[in-house]
Amino acid sequence: MASQEKIENYYDKIICGDSLKTMKNMPSESVDVVFTSPPYNLKNSTGNGMKDGRGGKWANAVLIHGYDDYEDNMPADIYAEWQYENLNEMYRLLKPDGAIFYNHKWRVQGGLLQKRDDIIKDMPVRQIIIWQRNGGINFNKGYFLPTYEVIYMIAKPHFKLADKANSYGDIWKIKQDSHNPHPASFPLELADRVVRSTTGKIILDPFMGSGTTAIAAIMHDRKYIGIERSKKYVEMAKARIDKFKDTGVQEELNI
């Protein structure tokens, strides 16, 4: 059961801690929108060269060592259950007109397409948005180079988009963030698209990383709540937020 701690105590803060434990201390129906991209468990993948670093980019990529304090290499069933538990907590926290935008990646695992049904299970997915990001890594000649990720829109019954936001369609062509010091960041333009497409005032990201969701919330005069287990990434996020407040939107969009 969630505690009765006031949600206002979390506004415009990044909590350094475990996502599940932190969310369980937050009251039900207290946030409007969740936008997040969790660790993908890439080091547990077969065929992408991540485990042994063979070929091309992975040989020198930061993620070959995992994240700052997380190896990104859980047994597949444990990882899926962990993410499902997180989604259930996110859903509990949503107001009756709220929605989760959950960014993940379909991949070929053991020769078969893995669409993350092991994570989503019975969640009420209203729509799948394709984030066409281009680029990617594929050392397997058995399938084409992946150039997109997916965003599951998991909505409560009364959720509606902001006026005219439906005109964006369900394929978003947005370039990857290539200059962020975090090893697995998503672009500010992607977070901006999600936030501006909703009317929610309280935006939660339980895997905050380098603070991109927080910056998008600030851009649109929304409150943000962030959770991040790595102290290093929390400090990174705070520095980016401070820089954004000092330099403004244009410079942040161009980093």
Side-chain angles (χ1 to χ4, degrees), residues 55-92:
K57 179 181 175 182
W58 288 140
N60 299 309
V62 175
L63 271 182
I64 196 169
H65 305 296
Y67 293 87
D68 174 47
D69 60 352
Y70 172 62
E71 292 188 354
D72 203 31
N73 190 21
M74 288 185 179
D77 57 340
I78 294 175
Y79 171 78
E81 190 59 33
W82 173 57
Q83 282 301 299
Y84 179 67
E85 287 184 59
N86 273 275
L87 280 173
N88 272 280
E89 280 301 308
M90 296 177 214
Y91 195 77
R92 179 185 66 80

Side-chain angles (χ1 to χ4, degrees), residues 173-226:
K173 189 173 183 178
I174 296 173
K175 292 181 180 179
Q176 291 170 279
D177 185 354
S178 59
H179 301 293
N180 191 308
H182 189 277
S185 63
F186 52 74
L188 178 57
E189 186 178 351
L190 188 67
D192 174 71
R193 176 75 59 88
V194 169
V195 173
R196 72 165 62 241
S197 295
T198 70
T199 59
K201 298 298 183 183
I202 313 301
I203 314 295
L204 167 67
D205 186 344
F207 299 96
M208 179 61 88
S210 63
T212 305
T213 300
I215 292 171
I218 295 167
M219 286 169 57
H220 295 283
D221 197 26
R222 319 285 177 93
K223 298 291 185 183
Y224 68 85
I225 300 171

Side-chain angles (χ1 to χ4, degrees), residues 8-25:
E8 290 84 358
N9 294 341
Y10 294 89
Y11 286 175
D12 296 334
K13 294 179 181 177
I14 302 176
I15 309 300
C16 187
D18 178 80
S19 57
L20 273 175
K21 290 179 181 178
T22 304
M23 285 191 286
K24 286 179 179 179
N25 287 327

